[in-house]
Amino acid sequence: MAADATIGACFVQLASIHNISKSSQSTPVSQNNNILYKKDESHPEGAQRPSSEIMQRLSATNPLRLVINNATRVASPSPAHPQPRPSSSSPLHQQQTRPATDGIGVLFIAFSIGVGLYACWVTQRTSFCSKIFIKALEPVSKFPDLNQPTYWMLGAGFLWMSFWILAVIGALNFYVPPLIIMALVLSLAWTAEVMRNVANLTVSRVIALYYLRGMQSSTQFCFQRALSHNLGSACLGSLFVPAIEALRIVARGLNLLEGEDEFMFSCAHCCLRVMESIFKCGNGWAYVQIAAYGKGFVQASKDTWDLFSKRELMVEVVDSDITSAICFLTGVCSGSICTIVVAAWTSTVHRGYIGTLSVLAAFIGYLMTRIAMALPHACVSCYYVCYAENPDNRLFDKTIPDRIDLIKSGRGRSRADP
């Protein structure tokens, strides 16, 4: 009986709650001067009074807060209807990402202008460098598998860069992402340079032994030697040679600035002499003697530069070579093509990441092309170094002697440039 009485009381309470909710829904509500009223049938028709139960008004200080019974509450959106986030194609998002993209475009335009000026500067040397380039590549046809080390390094570089991209994504969760990403960029540049120099050492040994001893060495053995015996020199050279050559270019460029300021001219001249001294102890020509004789990096750099210095005007000849610039600009062109392709795809899919992905594509395209250009660069280096060591070799023609005679006559001498 007690249970039946309890169940009956519950039904009565439910019925009363239902009637109350039904009557509250049928009560008309009007809004006037930010105060809500409901009509009360106990007052005369047309009379209104504020209801103590539902009276609410907007806060005067914050329109997003409601005052209900002298207590303020925040008007938050319903979880069922969340506020939409701005998409990557919205005008606001495009305005936020546009400055970075425009800045990258300005840098590319400035670089293009610099490249155009440099091309005008070195026009008179293109004929000689093209002859050296063609002549230096002639022995490659005698070694059908000479390209294989470059292909192996390209494959290893592709795999390493794939993992590197994952590392960059993970670095975004660190406390200082910019520093971590900068360290990753430097490490990738150094690793790619090591891969390039491994291919460079392999080709240099094969070509140098062909010039100096008339041997046809095994490319596979030379590649294994570069990965074992000469790997330390490749790592050391990859760390210092790019920085030394870049600083030397800057010093030579500053030395070209002639003016009335004696102090600035003396400082530029002093910096050039310092960089010339450092360049003798670490330069890219050393890889030929590292590969051929197994010397250390510093010793090979000194011996190679001494070899150039002993030959008449040989230093001027190698300084006028633009093979390094050709390899660099080839990498830049490849990076630019990668940038155009990636930017065209990103603009239709993820417009907000155009700047980031464009820079990443340019950097990776440049590094991969630099690895691919290791073979022609090594062949040209071998031609110069082996000629300086034995200019009477029958494998060399009159290209370099004719250039030296032209410099002696004054028609081939040009101002030192970067």
Side-chain angles (χ1 to χ4, degrees):
M1 296 296 292
D4 294 338
T6 304
I7 294 174
C10 291
F11 276 112
V12 170
Q13 291 180 1
L14 291 174
S16 62
I17 292 173
H18 177 69
N19 293 331
I20 293 173
S21 62
K22 185 175 182 180
S23 61
S24 63
Q25 293 177 0
S26 61
T27 304
V29 180
S30 63
Q31 182 176 3
N32 186 17
N33 295 330
N34 293 336
I35 300 178
L36 299 180
Y37 298 92
K38 75 172 183 178
K39 293 184 179 181
D40 190 356
E41 287 79 2
S42 60
H43 284 71
E45 185 176 359
Q48 295 178 343
R49 69 174 180 84
S51 172
S52 61
E53 296 177 359
I54 66 169
M55 187 184 72
Q56 59 186 13
R57 59 185 174 84
L58 297 176
S59 173
T61 59
N62 190 353
L64 297 180
R65 300 182 71 89
L66 298 176
V67 179
I68 303 177
N69 294 336
N70 296 327
T72 60
R73 298 179 182 178
V74 179
S76 60
S78 173
H81 303 283
Q83 294 292 332
R85 294 182 179 179
S87 62
S88 59
S89 60
S90 62
L92 179 60
H93 195 275
Q94 295 177 12
Q95 291 178 1
Q96 293 175 352
T97 58
R98 191 173 299 163
T101 307
D102 294 343
I104 294 172
V106 171
L107 290 178
F108 279 134
I109 292 174
F111 181 79
S112 301
I113 295 174
V115 170
L117 295 176
Y118 179 78
C120 295
W121 184 274
V122 299
T123 301
Q124 58 183 352
R125 287 180 285 168
T126 55
S127 177
F128 167 72
C129 292
S130 62
K131 292 179 182 178
I132 292 291
F133 208 82
I134 295 172
K135 186 64 179 177
L137 291 176
E138 287 182 357
V140 176
S141 60
K142 301 181 181 299
F143 305 93
D145 58 345
L146 194 57
N147 288 318
Q148 289 186 3
T150 305
Y151 297 151
W152 282 107
M153 289 296 101
L154 285 173
F158 177 79
L159 293 177
W160 181 261
M161 291 176 190
S162 301
F163 288 110
W164 180 83
I165 293 175
L166 298 178
V168 171
I169 297 174
L172 298 176
N173 297 323
F174 282 79
Y175 293 104
V176 281
L179 295 179
I180 302 298
I181 292 176
M182 183 62 65
L184 289 173
V185 168
L186 294 177
S187 68
L188 178 62
W190 175 73
T191 305
E193 189 70 14
V194 171
M195 295 179 181
R196 173 181 173 273
N197 286 329
V198 167
N200 190 344
L201 288 170
T202 304
V203 177
S204 296
R205 181 171 177 81
V206 173
I207 301 299
L209 293 180
Y210 173 76
Y211 281 138
L212 298 176
R213 301 177 184 176
M215 297 172 53
Q216 289 193 354
S217 303
S218 171
T219 304
Q220 184 178 0
F221 174 78
C222 295
F223 184 54
Q224 293 175 355
R225 181 182 173 88
L227 287 174
S228 55
H229 186 72
N230 302 132
L231 185 60
S233 298
C235 294
L236 185 63
S238 301
L239 185 63
F240 290 105
V241 169
I244 292 174
E245 290 184 347
L247 293 176
R248 183 170 181 255
I249 290 173
V250 173
R252 296 178 70 180
L254 293 175
N255 195 52
L256 293 175
L257 300 177
E258 297 180 356
E260 298 179 357
D261 195 336
E262 186 70 21
F263 176 74
M264 293 299 297
F265 180 76
S266 300
C267 290
H269 192 70
C270 180
C271 291
L272 178 61
R273 290 293 174 262
V274 172
M275 291 312 304
E276 291 290 348
S277 301
I278 298 175
F279 185 75
K280 293 178 182 178
C281 299
N283 53 75
W285 304 104
Y287 294 115
V288 178
Q289 292 210 359
I290 292 174
Y293 302 112
K295 298 180 180 180
F297 174 73
V298 177
Q299 187 63 40
S301 299
K302 293 179 179 180
D303 293 345
T304 304
W305 199 254
D306 290 340
L307 200 62
F308 288 151
S309 301
K310 292 177 182 178
R311 299 294 175 186
E312 185 181 12
L313 297 177
M314 194 64 192
V315 174
E316 286 80 358
V317 173
V318 297
D319 278 342
S320 64
D321 183 72
I322 59 173
T323 304
S324 298
I326 292 174
C327 295
F328 170 74
L329 294 178
T330 303
V332 172
C333 291
S334 177
S336 301
I337 294 174
C338 295
T339 300
I340 294 173
V341 174
V342 171
W345 172 76
T346 310
S347 62
T348 58
V349 181
H350 302 287
R351 194 175 184 84
Y353 299 96
I354 293 179
T356 303
L357 294 180
S358 298
V359 173
L360 188 63
F363 186 57
I364 293 178
Y366 167 78
L367 293 180
M368 294 292 286
T369 307
R370 288 282 291 174
I371 296 174
M373 292 296 292
L375 188 146
H377 196 186
C379 291
V380 173
S381 298
C382 288
Y383 192 87
Y384 281 115
V385 175
C386 294
Y387 175 85
E389 186 170 347
N390 185 15
D392 297 328
N393 194 323
R394 60 181 179 82
L395 296 176
F396 302 117
D397 60 0
K398 296 295 184 180
T399 304
I400 294 180
D402 291 344
R403 180 67 178 179
I404 293 176
D405 294 338
L406 197 63
I407 293 176
K408 287 180 179 180
S409 64
R411 291 179 295 171
R413 186 182 296 273
S414 60
R415 297 174 62 187
D417 59 273

